[in-house]
């Protein structure tokens, strides 16, 4: 079971790739989750993936992240077990044009977070759990979202000479 979903948007910043001689001014999005094995049986080879789905012009734009692997999770066990353990997190860093900001500001569609968990039991049977979660912004964040969206969209024009 997925618990404690936290989705964070980082302030936009400049990223530069020297080999490609390419720069981007983007926000990265990070999703953090906790897991709990609700059964009494252990789960083995747990692969967790997360996609961010943004509706744009009637089509789904899917932002993917790297999958996470947990080797085993005993019955009734939680992950992470303590604050020292590695957190389960998913980084989205490919929204170069600020589509997430657009959909949040439009208030017509909501972004969807799709979390998929593929695991097996100790007998070798495979199971897939797939859940969709709608993302809503707090109204207190409206001004920040508007400013960051403006910064991302106008960066290329404002900083052309630099």
């Amino acid at each position: 079971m997925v618990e404690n979903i936290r989705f964070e948007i980082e302030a936009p910043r400049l990223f530069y790739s020297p080999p490609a001689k390419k720069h981007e001014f983007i926000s990265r999005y990070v999703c953090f989750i906790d897991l709990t094995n609700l059964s009494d049986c252990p789960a083995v080879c747990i692969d967790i993936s997360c996609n961010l789905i943004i509706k744009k012009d009637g089509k789904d734009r899917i932002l993917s992240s790297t999958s996470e692997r947990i080797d085993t999770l005993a019955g009734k066990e939680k992950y992470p077990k303590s604050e020292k353990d590695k957190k389960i997190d998913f980084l989205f860093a490919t929204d170069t044009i600020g589509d997430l900001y657009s959909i949040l500001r439009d208030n017509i569609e909501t972004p969807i977070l799709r979390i998929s968990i593929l695991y097996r039991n100790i007998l070798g049977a495979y199971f897939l759990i797939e859940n969709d979660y709608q993302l809503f912004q707090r109204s207190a964040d409206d001004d920040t979202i508007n400013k960051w969206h403006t910064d991302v969209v106008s960066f290329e024009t404002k900083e052309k000479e630099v």
Side-chain angles (χ1 to χ4, degrees), residues 40-145:
D40 292 323
C41 300
V44 183
C45 298
I46 305 156
D47 292 314
I48 310 150
S49 60
C50 188
N51 292 319
L52 180 60
I53 303 167
I54 301 170
K55 296 239 185 248
K56 183 175 182 182
D57 301 326
K59 297 179 183 174
D60 288 348
R61 177 168 180 223
I62 300 174
L63 304 178
S64 299
S65 66
T66 304
S67 295
E68 292 281 336
R69 162 67 64 99
I70 300 172
D71 293 329
T72 58
L73 196 58
K76 304 294 184 198
E77 186 176 34
K78 292 182 180 280
Y79 190 91
K81 297 173 192 170
S82 70
E83 291 295 319
K84 290 189 264 181
D85 289 336
K86 181 187 179 304
K87 305 279 187 227
I88 303 171
D89 60 53
F90 304 96
L91 176 67
F92 303 94
T94 58
D95 187 12
T96 57
I97 54 177
D99 281 342
L100 180 62
Y101 290 126
S102 293
I103 196 170
L104 288 172
R105 292 180 69 189
D106 286 344
N107 289 324
I108 297 170
E109 297 279 348
T110 55
I112 302 291
L113 196 62
R114 178 166 293 150
I115 300 174
S116 303
I117 303 170
L118 179 66
Y119 67 97
R120 35 180 224 194
N121 63 13
I122 55 175
L123 299 175
Y126 284 89
F127 300 89
L128 174 66
I129 299 171
E130 197 167 69
N131 290 312
D132 288 353
Y133 302 90
Q134 288 182 303
L135 299 178
F136 297 95
Q137 79 179 51
R138 296 178 300 206
S139 58
D141 295 332
D142 284 346
D143 291 338
T144 303
I145 293 293

